[in-house]
Amino acid sequence: MFLKPFRVKKQNTLKGSDRKKMKGEIGKLYNIPEDSLNELFPTKGDMSMAKIELHSGDIAFLYTCQKNPVFFEINKKMFPTVYSLWKCPDMLPVFTTWPQVFTKLVVGADLMLPGVVINGPVHMGTFRGIKKGDIASVKLVGNRAPVAVGETLLSGEDMYLSAMKGKGVKPIHMMGDLLWELGDQSEPPHLSDDINIEGDGESEDDSDGDDKESDNEDVPAIEKLTVHDNECKGATAAVSDSENSESEEEEEGEDPKKVMDELLDYCCLCALKAKVKKSDLPLSTGIFFKNYLQPYCPQGKYIDIKKSSYKKLSKYLQTVESKGLLKIKQMAKGMDSIVEIDKDHLELRDLQVPELVIQPTEGSEDDFIPPVISDVFCIPSNLLPFFKSKNYSKGRGLVADEVRQFLTDYVKENDLQDPEHKGVIKIDPILGDVLLRKNENDSYLKWEVAKSRLFEKLQPAFQIVYPGKPPILKKGKVDPIKIDVVQRSGNKKVTLIDNVETFGIDPDKFAHTIQVKRACSTTVNPSIQKNKGLQIMAQGNQVDFIQQLLLEKYKIPVRFIQGLEKGTTKKKKKR
């Protein structure tokens, strides 16, 4: 799950109370003694929680302590990382396997039961207490320190009844993946293992045969390991063709940095030849990389500039500039832009550019259907006698036309229209309780006065109808989307956006759109006002772009947007 890149959406430092609460929950969940808990959660050192989006699109929560990931939560299940398991190796049920098998797990294979090393013969109690979907760890023969954590794919009883055949554990996180790289990338400690591997060949699959008899006496270390196909036969599940090809390339000794450099060159040349137009110049280098270069990355691969020999985008583009393909100029402090491209360059002439197919992402702005918001008026308890004929209950919401029509029907049904003056109505006892004020004894009122006083007695509210959902009635007035530009440390300005959730807009997707289109950093955090939802913060003054986004993409009426006057575009005064 962490073999492919993930994205950090937001990160917060945990308070002391939250840290203490999590420590107690982890201790109860895994029955960890107090000494081990203190080692996992030291009193000194920062601890933070990050919301991350996995490559599959799932959302997970990652907890780090002293810059090392210690736990992560996926689908309301809390998993320890290998860094935590090295401090408390007996936290989870453990499966033992061979170092040869682990080399297959790191490319995405599941741990098969034939590859599990059992101390003694297999019997009904070998996997006692294990249920399907339980969290388990994986260690190697000769060392108690786990190297992977995952979920069991069978119950302990099913493992025994299957004669130790089939899938056993699905790895979710392991030493060497991107989550492990997020920490200090330390190696597992050597913890003595008392497992007896003599005669373990009887509990292995027959396909392993006599090839492991010589290996049982001396288990090789991972870094000194030589993998033979006959030693791992039946021990791991099949891996996809792309992963097999990648592992074959690594075994052949191909430098991964060289592979990433070639991928960068290919995508860059395709973007320069087919996607970048003269009208796009000058073009920010960050926008060029994200919106022009990355779309040409072949399916199943990804571009990570840090895994290339260049390490930084600026250094790579300097190399491209030295070839004469483009020219880069610093338009502002810390902002480089492409100002010229040589379309007649030799490297671009014979390049065959693939057809770029852009698939709309789920939940894009083009698919957004805005909610229908209408002003309504709720019936208070003192007006129930007036609305008795319709059997309206207290709190029932009526639009303005329904209120006017009801008053007109009431006047006609009770013959309260003055025959001589059409603009005047008679006041009966029920209307008098509703429309007349204290110390008023008028027998007649004008239509306009009667309507305005009736609206005054009703409670203002609004109704929101989201697509495919029942109407939602809320009292009071609609809180508009509030946009504000504030100045932070130095002369830096940030744009704050509040209350987009009321209008059915996802704050994370809205912030991501601003980040991509404006090439600026954005964050989503809880609003400083209690129970006011989430607040979006964007670097710089982005009011003009946000106005365009809300009006054109999200179809939000102008009357529900506050703070548009703080944009940088000033309207010309009429002479």
Side-chain angles (χ1 to χ4, degrees):
M1 186 165 291
F2 291 98
L3 295 177
K4 294 183 178 180
F6 55 88
R7 182 170 67 93
V8 178
K9 303 188 75 171
K10 63 179 181 180
Q11 186 171 357
N12 298 318
T13 302
L14 286 182
K15 299 179 182 178
S17 57
D18 296 333
R19 186 172 179 172
K20 186 177 180 180
K21 181 180 177 182
M22 182 183 178
K23 179 179 177 181
E25 291 176 352
I26 294 295
K28 291 180 181 179
L29 182 63
Y30 293 112
N31 295 322
I32 303 175
E34 189 67 24
D35 294 343
S36 299
L37 269 178
N38 293 333
E39 191 175 358
L40 288 174
F41 300 93
T43 54
K44 295 183 179 180
D46 294 334
M47 187 171 185
S48 61
M49 182 195 74
K51 181 180 179 182
I52 62 176
E53 182 179 1
L54 303 177
H55 188 271
S56 61
D58 295 330
I59 298 297
F61 296 93
L62 177 62
Y63 299 89
T64 59
C65 184
Q66 296 178 342
K67 298 183 179 181
N68 270 348
V70 288
F71 288 91
F72 60 93
E73 183 180 357
I74 301 175
N75 298 327
K76 297 183 179 181
K77 293 181 72 173
M78 188 71 74
F79 296 82
T81 64
V82 291
Y83 292 108
S84 296
L85 289 172
W86 292 341
K87 296 179 180 179
C88 190
D90 300 325
M91 188 187 309
L92 300 174
V94 63
F95 289 79
T96 306
T97 189
W98 300 98
Q100 296 94 324
V101 175
F102 182 69
T103 60
K104 301 298 181 182
L105 299 184
V106 295
V107 295
D110 295 333
L111 176 62
M112 304 295 283
L113 291 177
V116 176
V117 179
I118 306 297
N119 190 10
V122 181
H123 52 82
M124 197 66 172
T126 302
F127 304 105
R128 182 181 300 168
I130 294 179
K131 298 178 182 179
K132 184 179 179 180
D134 281 355
I135 303 173
S137 61
V138 179
K139 70 179 183 68
L140 303 181
V141 173
N143 192 352
R144 275 198 316 123
V147 292
V149 61
E151 291 181 322
T152 57
L153 299 174
L154 292 174
S155 65
E157 183 179 356
D158 291 339
M159 291 180 185
Y160 170 73
L161 295 176
S162 66
M164 293 298 291
K165 294 184 183 295
K167 295 182 178 182
V169 179
K170 180 181 181 179
I172 294 178
H173 155 61
M174 66 191 71
M175 184 185 72
D177 64 8
L178 296 177
L179 181 58
W180 172 82
E181 290 183 1
L182 198 64
D184 57 17
Q185 302 182 15
S186 57
E187 295 293 328
H190 182 75
L191 305 177
S192 59
D193 189 7
D194 57 355
I195 186 170
N196 181 18
I197 59 175
E198 293 182 3
D200 277 337
E202 297 176 4
S203 61
E204 294 277 314
D205 191 278
D206 291 341
S207 60
D208 292 340
D210 297 329
D211 293 328
K212 290 182 181 175
E213 290 182 359
S214 59
D215 296 333
N216 288 344
E217 296 178 3
D218 187 16
V219 179
I222 299 177
E223 59 272 11
K224 299 179 181 179
L225 181 64
T226 303
V227 180
H228 301 287
D229 291 338
N230 59 346
E231 292 182 355
C232 298
K233 186 177 180 181
T236 53
V239 192
S240 62
D241 294 338
S242 61
E243 290 171 336
N244 280 333
S245 61
E246 291 175 3
S247 61
E248 288 174 3
E249 289 177 357
E250 292 175 359
E251 289 175 5
E252 291 172 2
E254 191 168 355
D255 187 5
K257 291 184 179 180
K258 183 180 179 182
V259 175
M260 187 61 67
D261 291 348
E262 293 175 354
L263 182 61
L264 262 175
D265 290 337
Y266 172 75
C267 296
C268 181
L269 293 175
C270 289
L272 293 175
K273 181 175 182 178
K275 195 168 176 65
V276 182
K277 299 177 182 178
K278 191 174 182 179
S279 58
D280 296 332
L281 304 177
L283 181 63
S284 168
T285 55
I287 295 177
F288 168 74
F289 178 74
K290 198 172 191 74
N291 297 348
Y292 291 79
L293 188 149
Q294 283 190 332
Y296 284 99
C297 183
Q299 189 175 5
K301 296 184 178 181
Y302 66 94
I303 298 176
D304 189 349
I305 197 77
K306 292 183 179 179
K307 293 188 177 180
S308 67
S309 60
Y310 304 99
K311 301 298 182 183
K312 292 183 179 180
L313 178 62
S314 58
K315 188 176 179 181
Y316 170 70
L317 291 179
Q318 287 174 4
T319 306
V320 179
E321 184 180 24
S322 65
K323 297 178 181 179
L325 285 161
L326 50 81
K327 288 186 179 180
I328 297 175
K329 184 178 179 182
Q330 190 176 32
M331 306 298 290
K333 186 177 180 180
M335 181 177 177
D336 294 335
S337 298
I338 300 173
V339 295
E340 186 179 335
I341 295 176
D342 184 8
K343 295 277 188 177
D344 297 326
H345 196 276
L346 291 175
E347 293 191 31
L348 298 180
R349 288 181 185 176
D350 300 328
L351 179 67
Q352 297 294 327
V353 180
E355 184 179 355
L356 187 61
V357 180
I358 302 177
Q359 297 179 351
T361 57
E362 185 179 352
S364 63
E365 296 89 0
D366 297 333
D367 301 332
F368 179 79
I369 303 176
V372 178
I373 302 176
S374 55
D375 294 322
V376 296
F377 299 88
C378 293
I379 302 172
S381 58
N382 61 334
L383 295 188
L384 286 177
F386 177 65
F387 292 97
K388 184 178 179 181
S389 61
K390 292 288 187 179
N391 293 323
Y392 288 156
S393 60
K394 178 185 175 182
R396 168 70 181 269
L398 302 174
V399 297
D401 290 340
E402 290 179 317
V403 176
R404 297 189 191 98
Q405 187 61 44
F406 185 85
L407 179 60
T408 302
D409 294 342
Y410 182 85
V411 171
K412 289 181 179 180
E413 290 173 3
N414 293 277
D415 195 19
L416 300 177
Q417 179 75 51
D418 190 337
E420 296 180 1
H421 303 87
K422 299 295 183 182
V424 178
I425 61 173
K426 299 177 183 179
I427 303 299
D428 65 357
I430 296 178
L431 273 180
D433 293 338
V434 175
L435 304 179
L436 295 181
R437 294 171 179 171
K438 289 183 179 181
N439 302 324
E440 274 188 343
N441 296 317
D442 297 341
S443 300
Y444 295 90
L445 280 178
K446 292 183 178 181
W447 268 109
E448 291 77 9
V449 176
K451 290 177 182 177
S452 64
R453 289 190 179 182
L454 179 58
F455 280 111
E456 289 176 3
K457 292 294 183 72
L458 296 170
Q459 295 177 348
F462 62 95
Q463 180 177 271
I464 302 179
V465 182
Y466 296 103
K469 296 183 180 180
I472 300 174
L473 185 66
K474 295 184 178 181
K475 294 183 179 180
K477 295 183 178 180
V478 184
D479 285 335
I481 296 176
K482 298 178 182 178
I483 306 173
D484 194 13
V485 179
V486 297
Q487 189 167 337
R488 294 294 168 91
S489 59
N491 197 28
K492 295 181 180 179
K493 294 182 179 180
V494 294
T495 305
L496 305 177
I497 311 104
D498 290 286
N499 205 37
V500 297
E501 294 167 291
T502 302
F503 299 86
I505 301 174
D506 187 339
D508 291 325
K509 292 182 179 179
F510 191 80
H512 180 67
T513 302
I514 300 174
Q515 180 185 15
V516 171
K517 298 294 184 181
R518 300 295 298 169
C520 65
S521 63
T522 59
T523 57
V524 180
N525 294 308
S527 177
I528 56 175
Q529 300 181 12
K530 191 174 182 181
N531 299 326
K532 287 295 183 180
L534 298 174
Q535 182 184 71
I536 303 169
M537 183 177 71
Q539 185 182 18
N541 189 334
Q542 309 296 343
V543 176
D544 295 334
F545 175 74
I546 293 169
Q547 176 183 357
Q548 179 185 1
L549 196 62
L550 291 173
L551 296 179
E552 298 180 6
K553 295 289 185 181
Y554 290 99
K555 312 297 182 186
I556 304 298
V558 180
R559 67 190 182 101
F560 293 133
I561 308 174
Q562 180 179 328
L564 296 180
E565 69 279 359
K566 298 182 180 181
T568 56
T569 304
K570 296 182 180 179
K571 295 182 180 179
K572 295 182 180 179
K573 295 182 179 180
K574 294 182 179 180
R575 296 182 180 178

